[in-house]
Amino acid sequence: MKSKFLADFKAFAMKGNVLDMAVGVIIGGAFGKIVTSLVNDIIMPLIGTLIGGINFTDLKWVIREASQETALPEVSIAYGKFLQNTVDFLIIAFSIFLFISAIQRITRKKEQQAAAPQPAPQPSAEERLLTEIRDLLKENSEKK
């Protein structure tokens, strides 16, 4: 029983789609890190500077202040981090949209080329000559 399970799993794991998906997940994770760095280290500081020197990661709404006497931590809603993550998501979603659109355009172009009717092959010089001879013989036989 176990050997069949392992054999089935191995067959599943070695299919091309699973390997392609694994590569996609790894590349997607790396791409996500690059976009996160772009947003956190370049875009959001520029936006923050343009609107008055605001650091978005520090934006929060404090519900309860931290208390030293009772050792209660601060309770807050960190909406600045949410804004950064939203910008992060929008950039990743837009990048994926552009990538998929480009792939679809390429695929459509290949399909159109494959579906385009191929012109009928031109007869060789020998075939044209034989056709002319046949037509001449037919004309001569009709005249008689």
Side-chain angles (χ1 to χ4, degrees):
M1 178 70 175
K2 277 189 177 182
S3 63
K4 177 155 176 36
F5 175 76
L6 291 176
D8 289 345
F9 179 75
K10 182 179 177 184
F12 168 76
M14 293 302 149
K15 283 185 181 176
N17 292 343
V18 174
L19 294 175
D20 292 344
M21 185 177 70
V23 170
V25 167
I26 291 168
I27 290 174
F31 181 71
K33 288 181 181 181
I34 291 170
V35 171
T36 298
S37 176
L38 174 71
V39 170
N40 293 346
D41 303 331
I42 297 173
I43 293 175
M44 295 310 274
L46 287 174
I47 292 173
T49 301
L50 291 174
I51 61 173
I54 297 172
N55 182 358
F56 281 88
T57 57
D58 295 338
L59 295 177
K60 61 185 172 184
W61 178 47
V62 178
I63 297 171
R64 182 183 71 208
E65 295 285 337
S67 172
Q68 300 295 338
E69 10 185 271
T70 59
L72 290 174
E74 176 183 87
V75 177
S76 62
I77 297 174
Y79 65 91
K81 291 180 184 177
F82 175 76
L83 289 174
Q84 267 190 296
N85 288 333
T86 302
V87 171
D88 226 7
F89 167 77
L90 292 174
I91 290 173
I92 290 173
F94 184 68
S95 301
I96 290 171
F97 169 75
L98 291 177
F99 180 72
I100 289 174
S101 295
I103 288 176
Q104 287 177 340
R105 240 181 285 120
I106 291 168
T107 304
R108 251 184 274 133
K109 197 177 285 185
K110 284 182 181 179
E111 288 173 355
Q112 287 173 351
Q113 288 173 348
Q118 300 295 327
Q122 295 294 324
S124 67
E126 186 178 88
E127 289 175 330
R128 284 194 303 266
L129 181 61
L130 288 171
T131 304
E132 287 177 23
I133 292 171
R134 181 196 67 203
D135 293 344
L136 286 172
L137 287 172
K138 193 183 279 187
E139 282 180 29
N140 286 337
S141 67
E142 289 175 1
K143 286 181 183 179
K144 290 182 183 183

